[in-house]
Amino acid sequence: MKRTFNLLLLFCMSIPVFAQQVEFTEYDLDNGLHVILHQDNTVPVATIGVMYHVGSKDETEGRTGFAHFFEHLLFEGTENIERGEWFNIVAANGGSNNANTSQDRTFYYETFPSNAIEIGLWMESERMLQPIINQIGVDTQNEVVKEEKRSRIDNAPYGKISYATGINKHLFKKHPYKNSIIGTMKDLDAAQLDEFKAFFEKFYGPNNATLVVAGNFEKNEMKKMVEDYFGSIKRKPEVERVKVKEEPITEAIVKTEYDSNIQIPLKVHVYRIPGMSHRDSYVMSMISSILTDGKSSRLYKRMVDDEKVALQVLAFPRPMEDYGTYVMGALPMGETPLDKLAEIMDDEVEKLRTELISEREFQKLQNKFENRFVSSNSSIEGIASSLATYNVLYGNTDLINEEIEIYRSITREEIQEVAQKYLQENKRLDLDYLPESDKEQK
């Protein structure tokens, strides 16, 4: 009976999960705006999103935080939207909206009932064409950003790990990835109004943006509306992309960071990996899943369940356009020394480097990524975000349907090879993340 059950389990795990193809149309307006339309008349809503190819890496030294600041500033108002009215207009029309910034891009989006879709197009065209950038707005959003920094990083437990401010500055010496996305208050306080206006003129043109509309509409009508609202916006000078190369890490970077918000220390190993479109970055996502994704993962089972030396384990890749980072760590149980945690993490990494994962574990891994792929396109907002991201950061919108084939093609041997290539002790940041009280005792 047990053998029959096991065979049945293996069979079920091997059944492929098929995601429905996401159909889309993409084209460029004369001004360079890239447009992606995904028509789905089975839903009652539509998401309108604009992704600008500008993030924290595009800022100049001494003026960090501008890209994230604009995530807030461009909600202040436009020539035709009064200050403070943006969110009221969205709410009054049954919609929702948000924005987010990374090292590489900024994404604004609204989701409306399909009968209000034109309002979203109008608002995003207003944001692109004629936002009001004045001292009142800058001063207001400066206070908002300061509070966000305090709540998410300065006063949040392990905030410098979550937002990488205690990590990237050690891994990157030249590339602007070394800077915090949220920037420093010193830089933002020192910036003049003309600098904010210049930043907008440099990066927020139609030829540095991708417009995505996903949901319930008729394609031909949408094309006309897109042309009506965005076609007359003038092209801006082409953006010069960051082309900074980092020297390889050849000797372990040993550092200590302190956090006044924690009582339990954290042992962290961080490796620099290739950019998000590189095949090895996909393999590293699978390696991360093997180590800590779920209670049956290798590090969790050994460190938390079996040996009971850790309260929790973590491992996650941070994919970025030019480079990525791979973070792994553990919180000690009781008086367990951090060196003990490091020893076990290294031991499990060494197993990946020297032994092929089993066929059973590999099939389970493939199944996870199939399910993850299906889930990523399960909502209109998710589809809109994926379409924009694949175009802006990967240069290939078709990946919304084809990316799963990359994961399917990864082999057990490749997992071992990539672990050997990147997960080396002399190529990492070795970080002790300690309570502030530990510093005071030294």
Side-chain angles (χ1 to χ4, degrees), residues 37-205:
L37 305 179
H38 166 65
Q39 181 178 333
D40 182 353
N41 299 125
T42 68
V43 296
V45 299
T47 294
I48 305 95
V50 178
M51 184 172 287
Y52 294 92
H53 200 171
V54 56
S56 60
K57 77 174 180 190
D58 298 293
E59 299 154 357
T60 58
E61 204 65 38
R63 288 296 181 265
T64 60
F66 266 48
H68 172 261
F69 194 87
F70 266 82
E71 176 195 319
H72 295 269
L73 188 62
L74 293 188
F75 283 102
E76 275 286 306
T78 74
E79 293 289 346
N80 294 307
I81 300 175
E82 292 185 15
R83 184 171 181 268
E85 285 301 304
W86 187 284
F87 298 103
N88 293 336
I89 293 171
V90 173
N93 288 278
S96 61
N97 67 169
N98 214 330
N100 50 70
T101 309
S102 76
Q103 290 89 349
D104 304 301
R105 92 296 178 274
T106 307
F107 187 46
Y108 301 88
Y109 62 95
E110 294 82 30
T111 299
F112 283 105
S114 54
N115 61 1
I117 193 171
E118 193 169 353
I119 295 171
L121 293 169
W122 168 67
M123 296 180 80
E124 286 302 335
S125 67
E126 281 284 307
R127 194 196 313 262
M128 185 182 295
L129 176 64
Q130 49 194 7
I132 299 296
I133 300 175
N134 57 25
Q135 197 61 51
I136 294 174
V138 167
D139 292 344
T140 299
Q141 296 308 323
N142 191 292
E143 291 304 314
V144 172
V145 170
K146 285 180 179 177
E147 179 55 34
E148 182 178 350
K149 183 176 183 294
R150 284 190 288 265
S151 64
R152 294 189 178 185
I153 301 176
D154 299 342
N155 299 326
Y158 309 99
K160 290 190 286 186
I161 301 297
S162 300
Y163 288 88
T165 58
I167 292 175
N168 287 0
K169 65 182 180 181
H170 301 305
L171 279 178
F172 299 99
K173 300 302 180 185
K174 300 176 183 178
H175 197 286
Y177 284 161
K178 68 181 186 291
N179 298 322
S180 163
I181 293 175
I182 207 166
T184 69
M185 293 306 102
K186 178 182 177 183
D187 287 353
L188 292 174
D189 287 342
Q192 301 298 307
L193 181 61
D194 285 347
E195 292 178 277
F196 289 104
K197 291 181 177 179
F199 194 82
F200 176 80
E201 287 303 316
K202 183 175 182 180
F203 292 108
Y204 293 83

Side-chain angles (χ1 to χ4, degrees), residues 257-265 433-442:
E257 290 281 342
Y258 295 93
D259 188 336
S260 61
N261 306 294
I262 67 171
Q263 294 181 331
I264 301 173
Y433 194 78
L434 307 177
E436 188 74 26
S437 57
D438 286 17
K439 184 178 181 181
E440 297 167 359
Q441 293 171 7
K442 289 189 175 183

Side-chain angles (χ1 to χ4, degrees), residues 320-386:
M320 298 177 287
E321 190 173 19
D322 299 339
Y323 294 96
T325 62
Y326 176 60
V327 183
M328 61 185 304
L331 294 167
M333 172 74 80
E335 300 299 318
T336 304
L338 295 188
D339 288 348
K340 177 65 174 177
L341 301 182
E343 178 186 326
I344 296 176
M345 288 192 293
D346 283 343
D347 185 48
E348 290 300 325
V349 165
E350 187 61 20
K351 290 177 184 177
L352 279 176
R353 288 165 47 84
T354 57
E355 304 169 12
L356 290 179
I357 67 171
S358 69
E359 284 284 2
R360 180 185 177 86
E361 189 175 17
F362 181 63
Q363 187 56 60
K364 180 181 175 183
L365 185 66
Q366 288 283 354
N367 201 42
K368 279 186 179 180
F369 278 80
E370 294 270 1
N371 287 324
R372 189 178 300 174
F373 180 74
V374 172
S375 298
S376 68
N377 295 329
S378 61
S379 71
I380 285 298
E381 284 187 356
I383 289 172
S385 177
S386 293

